[in-house]
Amino acid sequence: MTDTRTESDSLGPVEVPAGSYWGAQTQRSMSNFFFPPQEWLPLSIIHSLAMIKLAASRVNRAHGLRAELADAIETAAREVIEGRHDEQFPLAIWQTGSGTHSNMNVN
């Protein structure tokens, strides 16, 4: 039996694998819309979104974002760009919402 933690969203609680970084919405997508890994969003897109997060953090730091928060965002973005968390992005390319799900999962 896999260890889980409880995450919640507007639909209520859902069990998520304890070792995952994603939350309730990604878990619901995986549970309700199973697609094999070859139909997941390409990692190059995930890495590109992380580059945007890195750039946004740097700009926002220059405009008042607290240094400790900017540092945390930049560290996480670099780790994603380097591919250190590739297994944390089980997102089907057949999603809806014009990329909202992908963007939230990268957050």
Side-chain angles (χ1 to χ4, degrees), residues 21-66:
Y21 290 165
W22 62 79
Q25 292 180 352
T26 296
Q27 188 64 42
R28 287 187 200 287
S29 177
M30 292 173 59
S31 299
N32 294 316
F33 306 102
F34 175 77
F35 290 98
Q38 62 268 27
E39 294 189 37
W40 288 356
L41 195 65
L43 289 171
S44 59
I45 294 175
I46 300 298
H47 297 166
S48 296
L49 286 169
M51 289 176 195
I52 293 168
K53 305 294 182 187
L54 178 61
S57 177
R58 290 176 178 170
V59 169
N60 283 295
R61 177 194 299 263
H63 292 279
L65 181 64
R66 291 187 337 266

